[in-house]
Amino acid sequence: MELYPSIEKADIQEIKKFQEQKLRELLIYLQDRSPFYQRLFKDNSIHIHDIRTLEDLQKIPVTTKDDLQQYNHDFFCITPDKIVDYSTTSGTLGDPVTFGLSDQDLERLSYNEAVSFACAGIKKGDVVQMITTIDKRFMAGLAYFLGLRKMGASVVRMGPGIPELQWDSIFRYQPKYLITVPSFLLKMIDYAEKNGIDYKNSSVYGAVCIGESIKNQDFTDNILSKKIKEKWDIQLFSTYASTEMSTAFTECEFQAGGHHHPELIITEILDDSGNPIAEGESGELTITTLGVEAMPLLRFKTGDIVQAHYEPCRCGRNTMRLGPVIGRKQQMIKYKGTTLYPPAMHDILNDFSGIQCYQIVIHSSDIGLDEIIIKLSSEHADEEFVGAVKDHFRAKLRVSPKIELVDFDVLSKEVFHPNSRKPITLVDLR
């Protein structure tokens, strides 16, 4: 299969024309098959043949996460007997939403991951260790497996956790790449150091990092990334994806943002009023899926605040690149007059070597203001350490939240919950 699709090297106008043709096909499909979009077109007097260009998308109302939760089954465009896999969103905010995938959707998913992993430099014959779940209705784990299989790589399906087993597998099967939540790499390094494992001379060349950011907005390594690389000199590739998109944005070897695959998705970046933002500004990523059979989405607001980069990449692709997620719209916090997003707080907490684990809890005060409590367990559980953390917050974010010291055995059970696919480092109770 072609792992460097020619459309990604095409010029911008050619990509736009290609996407407009795909958009027209999608609108006909939705008009024929989707109860939700049939109703949306009718209620808003939208004639799909009037939507000819990407700019015309502005005439169509956006679809929200609330719509997906409220009318989940109205988004299905195929009968239940055509569904071969059921997945759910990870439910970061609110109830999970069910996604059905047809055979064709699984094929599209495997293509998406194959071209994304190829972007990060994985090749046919490489051994890749998956440190992520493939069950619990998790779409990504299945997608990684299908994509690696499609591109001819060998997969070691380890699943998350248990550093001892991960190292056993690394020395047994010699993987070149790992797929993992990046903070888990610190646990693996810690285990290796305590148990005399020569991890610096392992077969691992790089890790495709999921679920947590490893870059600053200017593409330099963030604190988490630096902490990993100070100990273990491996390449870290960031990736951004979601169940709703069934599409990934993965970095190439030049590591300057996740590349857009125009054959799979149309992207818009919108301001608070729903208008396209000026180039160089940040806004909410809004997506239209292409080639999805069971549950296609039209102008779906992801809730993620991002910045796009349009200058051609040194790798030869002309496609747009997405910078790291700045924050989630619904997780914006107004604290003592300052606007904050959780990623900025994660960076500060990751900066402290003495913190064993932490959880940020946001709630509303009696008078409706946002309050932040940071629960943390540390080897140095004293007032001096708490003072140092607070000072660091003041220096970086101009405000300092309330800090509670919690015993590691208690807090780690909340953060690394067996039913969660990712560490629960944020709890929003508002």
mmCIF file with all atom_site columns, all heavy atoms in Angstrom, residues 230-245:
data_model
loop_
_atom_site.group_PDB
_atom_site.id
_atom_site.type_symbol
_atom_site.label_atom_id
_atom_site.label_alt_id
_atom_site.label_comp_id
_atom_site.label_asym_id
_atom_site.label_entity_id
_atom_site.label_seq_id
_atom_site.pdbx_PDB_ins_code
_atom_site.Cartn_x
_atom_site.Cartn_y
_atom_site.Cartn_z
_atom_site.occupancy
_atom_site.B_iso_or_equiv
_atom_site.pdbx_formal_charge
_atom_site.auth_seq_id
_atom_site.auth_comp_id
_atom_site.auth_asym_id
_atom_site.auth_atom_id
_atom_site.pdbx_PDB_model_num
ATOM 1   N N   . GLU A 1 230 ? 16.126  13.199 29.262 1.00 0.00 ? 230 GLU A N   1
ATOM 2   C CA  . GLU A 1 230 ? 17.324  13.362 30.111 1.00 0.00 ? 230 GLU A CA  1
ATOM 3   C C   . GLU A 1 230 ? 17.856  11.999 30.553 1.00 0.00 ? 230 GLU A C   1
ATOM 4   O O   . GLU A 1 230 ? 19.049  11.795 30.714 1.00 0.00 ? 230 GLU A O   1
ATOM 5   C CB  . GLU A 1 230 ? 16.964  14.175 31.369 1.00 0.00 ? 230 GLU A CB  1
ATOM 6   C CG  . GLU A 1 230 ? 17.097  15.676 31.170 1.00 0.00 ? 230 GLU A CG  1
ATOM 7   C CD  . GLU A 1 230 ? 16.334  16.458 32.247 1.00 0.00 ? 230 GLU A CD  1
ATOM 8   O OE1 . GLU A 1 230 ? 16.036  15.872 33.312 1.00 0.00 ? 230 GLU A OE1 1
ATOM 9   O OE2 . GLU A 1 230 ? 16.043  17.638 32.002 1.00 0.00 ? 230 GLU A OE2 1
ATOM 10  N N   . LYS A 1 231 ? 16.944  11.071 30.754 1.00 0.00 ? 231 LYS A N   1
ATOM 11  C CA  . LYS A 1 231 ? 17.319  9.738  31.236 1.00 0.00 ? 231 LYS A CA  1
ATOM 12  C C   . LYS A 1 231 ? 17.542  8.756  30.086 1.00 0.00 ? 231 LYS A C   1
ATOM 13  O O   . LYS A 1 231 ? 18.403  7.902  30.131 1.00 0.00 ? 231 LYS A O   1
ATOM 14  C CB  . LYS A 1 231 ? 16.197  9.174  32.115 1.00 0.00 ? 231 LYS A CB  1
ATOM 15  C CG  . LYS A 1 231 ? 15.915  9.987  33.363 1.00 0.00 ? 231 LYS A CG  1
ATOM 16  C CD  . LYS A 1 231 ? 16.753  9.479  34.502 1.00 0.00 ? 231 LYS A CD  1
ATOM 17  C CE  . LYS A 1 231 ? 16.316  10.054 35.832 1.00 0.00 ? 231 LYS A CE  1
ATOM 18  N NZ  . LYS A 1 231 ? 17.116  9.532  36.919 1.00 0.00 ? 231 LYS A NZ  1
ATOM 19  N N   . TRP A 1 232 ? 16.675  8.862  29.067 1.00 0.00 ? 232 TRP A N   1
ATOM 20  C CA  . TRP A 1 232 ? 16.629  7.830  28.025 1.00 0.00 ? 232 TRP A CA  1
ATOM 21  C C   . TRP A 1 232 ? 16.610  8.530  26.673 1.00 0.00 ? 232 TRP A C   1
ATOM 22  O O   . TRP A 1 232 ? 15.634  9.192  26.333 1.00 0.00 ? 232 TRP A O   1
ATOM 23  C CB  . TRP A 1 232 ? 15.371  6.977  28.236 1.00 0.00 ? 232 TRP A CB  1
ATOM 24  C CG  . TRP A 1 232 ? 15.374  5.669  27.492 1.00 0.00 ? 232 TRP A CG  1
ATOM 25  C CD1 . TRP A 1 232 ? 16.394  5.093  26.818 1.00 0.00 ? 232 TRP A CD1 1
ATOM 26  C CD2 . TRP A 1 232 ? 14.255  4.772  27.380 1.00 0.00 ? 232 TRP A CD2 1
ATOM 27  N NE1 . TRP A 1 232 ? 16.010  3.904  26.282 1.00 0.00 ? 232 TRP A NE1 1
ATOM 28  C CE2 . TRP A 1 232 ? 14.697  3.673  26.617 1.00 0.00 ? 232 TRP A CE2 1
ATOM 29  C CE3 . TRP A 1 232 ? 12.939  4.793  27.840 1.00 0.00 ? 232 TRP A CE3 1
ATOM 30  C CZ2 . TRP A 1 232 ? 13.850  2.606  26.301 1.00 0.00 ? 232 TRP A CZ2 1
ATOM 31  C CZ3 . TRP A 1 232 ? 12.101  3.736  27.536 1.00 0.00 ? 232 TRP A CZ3 1
ATOM 32  C CH2 . TRP A 1 232 ? 12.555  2.649  26.775 1.00 0.00 ? 232 TRP A CH2 1
ATOM 33  N N   . ASP A 1 233 ? 17.655  8.382  25.921 1.00 0.00 ? 233 ASP A N   1
ATOM 34  C CA  . ASP A 1 233 ? 17.805  9.117  24.656 1.00 0.00 ? 233 ASP A CA  1
ATOM 35  C C   . ASP A 1 233 ? 17.039  8.419  23.533 1.00 0.00 ? 233 ASP A C   1
ATOM 36  O O   . ASP A 1 233 ? 17.636  7.723  22.708 1.00 0.00 ? 233 ASP A O   1
ATOM 37  C CB  . ASP A 1 233 ? 19.300  9.229  24.328 1.00 0.00 ? 233 ASP A CB  1
ATOM 38  C CG  . ASP A 1 233 ? 19.541  10.050 23.071 1.00 0.00 ? 233 ASP A CG  1
ATOM 39  O OD1 . ASP A 1 233 ? 18.648  10.848 22.712 1.00 0.00 ? 233 ASP A OD1 1
ATOM 40  O OD2 . ASP A 1 233 ? 20.598  9.885  22.436 1.00 0.00 ? 233 ASP A OD2 1
ATOM 41  N N   . ILE A 1 234 ? 15.717  8.601  23.534 1.00 0.00 ? 234 ILE A N   1
ATOM 42  C CA  . ILE A 1 234 ? 14.912  8.023  22.447 1.00 0.00 ? 234 ILE A CA  1
ATOM 43  C C   . ILE A 1 234 ? 14.101  9.128  21.774 1.00 0.00 ? 234 ILE A C   1
ATOM 44  O O   . ILE A 1 234 ? 13.896  10.202 22.349 1.00 0.00 ? 234 ILE A O   1
ATOM 45  C CB  . ILE A 1 234 ? 13.968  6.890  22.947 1.00 0.00 ? 234 ILE A CB  1
ATOM 46  C CG1 . ILE A 1 234 ? 13.014  7.391  24.027 1.00 0.00 ? 234 ILE A CG1 1
ATOM 47  C CG2 . ILE A 1 234 ? 14.772  5.692  23.416 1.00 0.00 ? 234 ILE A CG2 1
ATOM 48  C CD1 . ILE A 1 234 ? 11.937  6.376  24.442 1.00 0.00 ? 234 ILE A CD1 1
ATOM 49  N N   . GLN A 1 235 ? 13.653  8.861  20.564 1.00 0.00 ? 235 GLN A N   1
ATOM 50  C CA  . GLN A 1 235 ? 12.806  9.808  19.837 1.00 0.00 ? 235 GLN A CA  1
ATOM 51  C C   . GLN A 1 235 ? 11.377  9.717  20.379 1.00 0.00 ? 235 GLN A C   1
ATOM 52  O O   . GLN A 1 235 ? 10.863  8.619  20.604 1.00 0.00 ? 235 GLN A O   1
ATOM 53  C CB  . GLN A 1 235 ? 12.775  9.462  18.340 1.00 0.00 ? 235 GLN A CB  1
ATOM 54  C CG  . GLN A 1 235 ? 14.092  9.669  17.623 1.00 0.00 ? 235 GLN A CG  1
ATOM 55  C CD  . GLN A 1 235 ? 14.448  11.133 17.521 1.00 0.00 ? 235 GLN A CD  1
ATOM 56  O OE1 . GLN A 1 235 ? 13.629  11.972 17.170 1.00 0.00 ? 235 GLN A OE1 1
ATOM 57  N NE2 . GLN A 1 235 ? 15.692  11.458 17.854 1.00 0.00 ? 235 GLN A NE2 1
ATOM 58  N N   . LEU A 1 236 ? 10.725  10.870 20.569 1.00 0.00 ? 236 LEU A N   1
ATOM 59  C CA  . LEU A 1 236 ? 9.321   10.875 21.008 1.00 0.00 ? 236 LEU A CA  1
ATOM 60  C C   . LEU A 1 236 ? 8.485   11.574 19.938 1.00 0.00 ? 236 LEU A C   1
ATOM 61  O O   . LEU A 1 236 ? 8.787   12.700 19.550 1.00 0.00 ? 236 LEU A O   1
ATOM 62  C CB  . LEU A 1 236 ? 9.178   11.610 22.345 1.00 0.00 ? 236 LEU A CB  1
ATOM 63  C CG  . LEU A 1 236 ? 9.987   11.066 23.527 1.00 0.00 ? 236 LEU A CG  1
ATOM 64  C CD1 . LEU A 1 236 ? 9.777   11.945 24.757 1.00 0.00 ? 236 LEU A CD1 1
ATOM 65  C CD2 . LEU A 1 236 ? 9.605   9.618  23.846 1.00 0.00 ? 236 LEU A CD2 1
ATOM 66  N N   . PHE A 1 237 ? 7.468   10.887 19.458 1.00 0.00 ? 237 PHE A N   1
ATOM 67  C CA  . PHE A 1 237 ? 6.595   11.443 18.416 1.00 0.00 ? 237 PHE A CA  1
ATOM 68  C C   . PHE A 1 237 ? 5.218   11.716 19.017 1.00 0.00 ? 237 PHE A C   1
ATOM 69  O O   . PHE A 1 237 ? 4.627   10.817 19.613 1.00 0.00 ? 237 PHE A O   1
ATOM 70  C CB  . PHE A 1 237 ? 6.450   10.461 17.251 1.00 0.00 ? 237 PHE A CB  1
ATOM 71  C CG  . PHE A 1 237 ? 7.740   10.177 16.540 1.00 0.00 ? 237 PHE A CG  1
ATOM 72  C CD1 . PHE A 1 237 ? 8.549   9.125  16.945 1.00 0.00 ? 237 PHE A CD1 1
ATOM 73  C CD2 . PHE A 1 237 ? 8.163   10.989 15.497 1.00 0.00 ? 237 PHE A CD2 1
ATOM 74  C CE1 . PHE A 1 237 ? 9.756   8.866  16.308 1.00 0.00 ? 237 PHE A CE1 1
ATOM 75  C CE2 . PHE A 1 237 ? 9.372   10.740 14.852 1.00 0.00 ? 237 PHE A CE2 1
ATOM 76  C CZ  . PHE A 1 237 ? 10.170  9.676  15.261 1.00 0.00 ? 237 PHE A CZ  1
ATOM 77  N N   . SER A 1 238 ? 4.741   12.951 18.850 1.00 0.00 ? 238 SER A N   1
ATOM 78  C CA  . SER A 1 238 ? 3.422   13.210 19.415 1.00 0.00 ? 238 SER A CA  1
ATOM 79  C C   . SER A 1 238 ? 2.343   12.912 18.375 1.00 0.00 ? 238 SER A C   1
ATOM 80  O O   . SER A 1 238 ? 2.585   12.949 17.159 1.00 0.00 ? 238 SER A O   1
ATOM 81  C CB  . SER A 1 238 ? 3.315   14.640 19.938 1.00 0.00 ? 238 SER A CB  1
ATOM 82  O OG  . SER A 1 238 ? 3.389   15.554 18.903 1.00 0.00 ? 238 SER A OG  1
ATOM 83  N N   . THR A 1 239 ? 1.173   12.583 18.875 1.00 0.00 ? 239 THR A N   1
ATOM 84  C CA  . THR A 1 239 ? 0.051   12.240 18.001 1.00 0.00 ? 239 THR A CA  1
ATOM 85  C C   . THR A 1 239 ? -1.224  12.757 18.644 1.00 0.00 ? 239 THR A C   1
ATOM 86  O O   . THR A 1 239 ? -1.290  12.889 19.867 1.00 0.00 ? 239 THR A O   1
ATOM 87  C CB  . THR A 1 239 ? -0.005  10.710 17.776 1.00 0.00 ? 239 THR A CB  1
ATOM 88  O OG1 . THR A 1 239 ? -1.139  10.398 16.978 1.00 0.00 ? 239 THR A OG1 1
ATOM 89  C CG2 . THR A 1 239 ? -0.099  9.933  19.075 1.00 0.00 ? 239 THR A CG2 1
ATOM 90  N N   . TYR A 1 240 ? -2.181  13.115 17.812 1.00 0.00 ? 240 TYR A N   1
ATOM 91  C CA  . TYR A 1 240 ? -3.460  13.624 18.324 1.00 0.00 ? 240 TYR A CA  1
ATOM 92  C C   . TYR A 1 240 ? -4.573  12.924 17.558 1.00 0.00 ? 240 TYR A C   1
ATOM 93  O O   . TYR A 1 240 ? -4.540  12.854 16.328 1.00 0.00 ? 240 TYR A O   1
ATOM 94  C CB  . TYR A 1 240 ? -3.534  15.148 18.107 1.00 0.00 ? 240 TYR A CB  1
ATOM 95  C CG  . TYR A 1 240 ? -4.927  15.718 18.253 1.00 0.00 ? 240 TYR A CG  1
ATOM 96  C CD1 . TYR A 1 240 ? -5.524  15.844 19.511 1.00 0.00 ? 240 TYR A CD1 1
ATOM 97  C CD2 . TYR A 1 240 ? -5.662  16.126 17.140 1.00 0.00 ? 240 TYR A CD2 1
ATOM 98  C CE1 . TYR A 1 240 ? -6.811  16.354 19.646 1.00 0.00 ? 240 TYR A CE1 1
ATOM 99  C CE2 . TYR A 1 240 ? -6.945  16.639 17.270 1.00 0.00 ? 240 TYR A CE2 1
ATOM 100 C CZ  . TYR A 1 240 ? -7.515  16.752 18.526 1.00 0.00 ? 240 TYR A CZ  1
ATOM 101 O OH  . TYR A 1 240 ? -8.789  17.249 18.666 1.00 0.00 ? 240 TYR A OH  1
ATOM 102 N N   . ALA A 1 241 ? -5.540  12.385 18.279 1.00 0.00 ? 241 ALA A N   1
ATOM 103 C CA  . ALA A 1 241 ? -6.645  11.677 17.619 1.00 0.00 ? 241 ALA A CA  1
ATOM 104 C C   . ALA A 1 241 ? -7.816  11.614 18.585 1.00 0.00 ? 241 ALA A C   1
ATOM 105 O O   . ALA A 1 241 ? -7.674  11.906 19.773 1.00 0.00 ? 241 ALA A O   1
ATOM 106 C CB  . ALA A 1 241 ? -6.211  10.261 17.239 1.00 0.00 ? 241 ALA A CB  1
ATOM 107 N N   . SER A 1 242 ? -8.982  11.235 18.074 1.00 0.00 ? 242 SER A N   1
ATOM 108 C CA  . SER A 1 242 ? -10.129 10.990 18.959 1.00 0.00 ? 242 SER A CA  1
ATOM 109 C C   . SER A 1 242 ? -11.043 9.983  18.282 1.00 0.00 ? 242 SER A C   1
ATOM 110 O O   . SER A 1 242 ? -11.006 9.816  17.055 1.00 0.00 ? 242 SER A O   1
ATOM 111 C CB  . SER A 1 242 ? -10.889 12.280 19.245 1.00 0.00 ? 242 SER A CB  1
ATOM 112 O OG  . SER A 1 242 ? -11.577 12.718 18.088 1.00 0.00 ? 242 SER A OG  1
ATOM 113 N N   . THR A 1 243 ? -11.854 9.326  19.091 1.00 0.00 ? 243 THR A N   1
ATOM 114 C CA  . THR A 1 243 ? -12.807 8.337  18.572 1.00 0.00 ? 243 THR A CA  1
ATOM 115 C C   . THR A 1 243 ? -13.731 8.985  17.549 1.00 0.00 ? 243 THR A C   1
ATOM 116 O O   . THR A 1 243 ? -14.019 8.409  16.497 1.00 0.00 ? 243 THR A O   1
ATOM 117 C CB  . THR A 1 243 ? -13.645 7.753  19.739 1.00 0.00 ? 243 THR A CB  1
ATOM 118 O OG1 . THR A 1 243 ? -12.740 7.199  20.700 1.00 0.00 ? 243 THR A OG1 1
ATOM 119 C CG2 . THR A 1 243 ? -14.606 6.685  19.269 1.00 0.00 ? 243 THR A CG2 1
ATOM 120 N N   . GLU A 1 244 ? -14.188 10.204 17.851 1.00 0.00 ? 244 GLU A N   1
ATOM 121 C CA  . GLU A 1 244 ? -15.132 10.882 16.943 1.00 0.00 ? 244 GLU A CA  1
ATOM 122 C C   . GLU A 1 244 ? -14.519 11.102 15.561 1.00 0.00 ? 244 GLU A C   1
ATOM 123 O O   . GLU A 1 244 ? -15.213 11.039 14.549 1.00 0.00 ? 244 GLU A O   1
ATOM 124 C CB  . GLU A 1 244 ? -15.554 12.250 17.525 1.00 0.00 ? 244 GLU A CB  1
ATOM 125 C CG  . GLU A 1 244 ? -16.352 12.169 18.797 1.00 0.00 ? 244 GLU A CG  1
ATOM 126 C CD  . GLU A 1 244 ? -15.491 12.273 20.053 1.00 0.00 ? 244 GLU A CD  1
ATOM 127 O OE1 . GLU A 1 244 ? -14.253 12.122 19.952 1.00 0.00 ? 244 GLU A OE1 1
ATOM 128 O OE2 . GLU A 1 244 ? -16.051 12.493 21.123 1.00 0.00 ? 244 GLU A OE2 1
ATOM 129 N N   . MET A 1 245 ? -13.216 11.375 15.514 1.00 0.00 ? 245 MET A N   1
ATOM 130 C CA  . MET A 1 245 ? -12.563 11.674 14.233 1.00 0.00 ? 245 MET A CA  1
ATOM 131 C C   . MET A 1 245 ? -12.184 10.415 13.466 1.00 0.00 ? 245 MET A C   1
ATOM 132 O O   . MET A 1 245 ? -12.047 10.461 12.257 1.00 0.00 ? 245 MET A O   1
ATOM 133 C CB  . MET A 1 245 ? -11.277 12.479 14.456 1.00 0.00 ? 245 MET A CB  1
ATOM 134 C CG  . MET A 1 245 ? -11.484 13.796 15.151 1.00 0.00 ? 245 MET A CG  1
ATOM 135 S SD  . MET A 1 245 ? -10.044 14.893 15.045 1.00 0.00 ? 245 MET A SD  1
ATOM 136 C CE  . MET A 1 245 ? -8.715  13.927 15.700 1.00 0.00 ? 245 MET A CE  1
#
